[in-house]
Amino acid sequence: MNCHVRNMICLPQRSQEKCRIFLLILFVIAIELMQPTISCKNQDCSHLHRSLKFTKFMNWSASELLKTYRASQGDSTDLICEMQMDNVPESTISGQSIPERILSVYTHLNEFLPHLRTVMEQQTDLDPPTNPVAEGLHSMIKYVRHFSVTVNCILQMLQPNIPVPEPAESPIGIPPAQNIFQQKAYGCIVLSRLQELLSQAVHEQKFIRSKICRKRTKNIV
């Protein structure tokens, strides 16, 4: 196995090969769901249907990536993943109205991006260049970027006359230099909270679709 010596437990070679095949399949599915290129003009219920389908896919992909990450961390995984870190974005969606809650999703997505990049860099350093976790993180970053644009479009649909705020220039700070144990905990917490956010985003979009699309269908009838 091509393992790094710093207490990093690698997945067996056969498992790594299976992970790469699995990631390739996910990539093909994602390409299909991410097409055509998003345009926020003239969006309707079909956009909400497609966005919900993609969010479900992301939620499932994040769950599988988290399983792969945990399996690659060796002993004491449960202890590592239960650590508390203040500088990791929260997964809780806030707001009373639908637009406020979707804006919360949009804000959190953009907060997670720099943290996902940091975790990917750490994983690449631990086991370059064939670490399936790093490969999965690379894909997840693309998915989050795409989903952020999609959520932006939903906000414009909900509030066509209100500009969508730009993402904060100073997101929740990246933690300072960490030892290997801290890096493992940090990666697990980032992925766990991202998956929780995506799970909630699925619920929010189901609610929006039921309200908007059902209302439009009744109007047509």
Side-chain angles (χ1 to χ4, degrees), residues 8 16 54 69 90-91 128 138 150 177 186:
M8 181 65 183
Q16 288 192 357
F54 183 68
Y69 182 90
E90 293 294 333
S91 60
H138 180 74
T150 301
Y186 171 65

Side-chain angles (χ1 to χ4, degrees), residues 127-210:
D127 187 23
T130 59
N131 186 345
V133 176
E135 294 175 6
L137 282 161
H138 180 74
S139 297
M140 185 57 63
I141 289 170
K142 291 183 179 180
Y143 302 161
V144 171
R145 286 174 179 164
H146 178 86
F147 186 42
S148 176
V149 176
T150 301
V151 174
N152 187 304
C153 288
I154 294 174
L155 282 169
Q156 293 183 45
M157 183 191 305
L158 296 172
Q159 300 181 137
N161 298 319
I162 301 178
V164 179
E166 291 294 323
E169 294 184 1
S170 301
I172 296 175
I174 302 298
Q178 301 170 306
N179 59 38
I180 299 301
F181 182 84
Q182 291 171 328
Q183 287 184 15
K184 290 182 177 184
Y186 171 65
C188 192
I189 294 169
V190 169
L191 292 178
S192 296
R193 291 187 183 178
L194 175 64
Q195 197 272 322
E196 291 169 0
L197 174 66
L198 293 171
S199 178
Q200 293 179 64
V202 169
H203 175 76
E204 295 296 330
Q205 288 181 90
K206 283 182 178 179
F207 181 74
I208 293 173
R209 188 182 64 173
S210 68

Side-chain angles (χ1 to χ4, degrees), residues 37-48 153 157 216:
T37 302
I38 287 178
S39 173
C40 292
K41 295 181 180 179
N42 302 320
Q43 295 290 358
D44 53 18
C45 286
S46 63
H47 176 73
L48 289 174
C153 288
M157 183 191 305
R216 292 185 179 181

Side-chain angles (χ1 to χ4, degrees), residues 111-123:
E111 288 176 345
F112 270 104
L113 274 172
H115 292 270
L116 289 170
R117 294 190 195 100
T118 300
V119 176
M120 184 179 70
E121 291 169 0
Q122 291 173 346
Q123 289 297 310

